[in-house]
Amino acid sequence: MFIKYDNEAVRLTGRWYKEENAAVTSACGSKIEFSFYGKMAVMHFNMEYNEHPYPHLWIQTDEGVRTEAAVDRYLRIYAEDNGPHNVSVIYKSGMEMQQRWYDPLVGKIAFMGFDAEKPGELKSNNKRYIEFIGDSITEGCQVDFGYNISSDFWPLNAPFQNDVTATYAYITAAALNLEPLIMGYGGVGLTKSGCSSVPRAGLSYEYCCDGHPYELPEPDYIVINHGANDVYSDKTEYLSRYKEFLEQVSKKHPGARIFVLGAFCGWCHEELADLVDEYNMNRDSNVVYINTYGWIPAEPLHPGRDGHKIVAEKLIEILRQY
């Protein structure tokens, strides 16, 4: 039987919006979970407008090892017994240059549902949520630099080099037993739009993509890491946009504790510390500024897996206090 994406046996976490026949996301880190009975489940994805190289997924069954696969019209899960079985699917990586904001969405995941003997019952998720807002670093770009399928056009390598689950964000959430909500798009800053036509952070934050507001669970914690893509902007504009963004995020999630990470490259880190102090004083807020300057080298701009682990270790130690 076919079990649609909105069945109780399915849970979607992250930046999804729902169409009649599919749940759609363009944000790496978004997750599908479902439960089924039987020895096989066949996942259905709407591949209209998707182009090579297809986005990559992490697929995990019954909390076993993850397997990487490119999304396709049908993907099968096979088990040795009749279950119940629980499946987790994470949007691991995509090509940054593919359209992920305006229709038609080329770099999307559009999950329709799955075939199985019958739906199972998902285990409840009682974890609190932590949202990470950032850019290509938060998206996990080039954590596996060197895995190439093209030497002439580097964006084609992105699905093979990128991995959102290897980032400081995902590692930190796992260590603190929190559920991560990820918004990271390559090239995006507080002062500039990014790759795949994604608008600057203040204009894109409240949407899954153009015209589709997101409906996330309410996060208890929010971590903002913007600045690496703003280094060629005027500092006054950057700081002004940062203050606007803090106000926007605070209004959207008034109960969340907000953490501001200085850019790992160190740009504007002293001025940002002063801005957060002023913001807290004028609004009786408790935003926490974390100076990351010197945690990792400024180059390469995109840390590898080891660089993300170093950042995560330092960030976990600080966040444990809260």
Side-chain angles (χ1 to χ4, degrees), residues 246-266:
L246 284 174
E247 291 171 347
Q248 180 182 6
V249 173
S250 298
K251 183 177 180 181
K252 179 80 174 172
H253 302 293
R257 188 69 183 268
I258 298 174
F259 300 86
V260 169
L261 295 190
F264 301 134
C265 63

Side-chain angles (χ1 to χ4, degrees), residues 46 70 188 212 243 245 257 313:
N46 181 350
V188 170
H212 296 284
K243 185 166 67 173
F245 194 61
R257 188 69 183 268
E313 288 170 358

Side-chain angles (χ1 to χ4, degrees), residues 67-273:
T67 300
E68 181 177 1
V71 68
D72 217 323
R73 184 65 176 84
Y74 305 108
L75 290 176
R76 289 170 173 80
I77 304 290
Y78 178 78
E80 294 289 345
D81 60 68
N82 288 315
H85 301 290
N86 295 285
V87 179
S88 172
V89 181
I90 300 169
Y91 183 179
K92 168 190 173 284
S93 55
M95 178 176 162
E96 295 167 78
M97 301 304 181
Q98 288 180 342
Q99 181 61 252
R100 289 192 286 170
W101 200 256
Y102 299 104
D103 287 333
L105 297 177
V106 177
K108 71 181 187 305
I109 301 293
F111 178 64
M112 303 172 73
F114 63 97
D115 293 322
E117 183 178 308
K118 64 178 182 178
E121 184 175 342
L122 276 175
K123 297 178 181 178
S124 59
N125 183 359
N126 298 317
K127 292 182 180 178
R128 292 181 292 174
Y129 293 90
I130 181 168
E131 183 179 29
F132 290 88
I133 307 166
D135 49 36
S136 56
I137 297 174
T138 302
E139 187 178 6
C141 290
Q142 298 183 358
V143 298
D144 290 319
F145 186 76
Y147 287 88
N148 300 329
I149 63 170
S150 173
S151 58
D152 297 323
F153 187 55
W154 66 263
L156 291 175
N157 303 322
F160 303 90
Q161 294 183 353
N162 303 355
D163 185 357
V164 69
T165 68
T167 63
Y168 73 93
Y170 235 89
I171 296 169
T172 297
L176 298 176
N177 196 32
L178 300 170
E179 188 70 38
L181 306 169
I182 307 291
M183 184 186 187
Y185 287 100
V188 170
L190 288 165
T191 62
K192 64 182 291 292
S193 59
C195 305
S196 56
S197 301
V198 180
R200 62 176 174 84
L203 298 178
S204 58
Y205 173 62
E206 299 188 34
Y207 296 87
C208 296
C209 58
D210 184 53
H212 296 284
Y214 76 79
E215 297 179 5
L216 289 177
E218 195 66 25
D220 288 276
Y221 310 100
I222 298 173
V223 179
I224 304 170
N225 180 19
H226 269 299
N229 292 317
D230 298 291
V231 294
Y232 298 109
S233 303
D234 178 75
K235 285 188 177 182
T236 301
E237 181 188 2
Y238 169 70
L239 295 170
S240 175
R241 291 294 189 193
Y242 218 123
K243 185 166 67 173
E244 289 177 3
F245 194 61
L246 284 174
E247 291 171 347
Q248 180 182 6
V249 173
S250 298
K251 183 177 180 181
K252 179 80 174 172
H253 302 293
R257 188 69 183 268
I258 298 174
F259 300 86
V260 169
L261 295 190
F264 301 134
C265 63
W267 186 72
C268 218
H269 67 280
E270 294 178 348
E271 294 90 336
L272 189 54

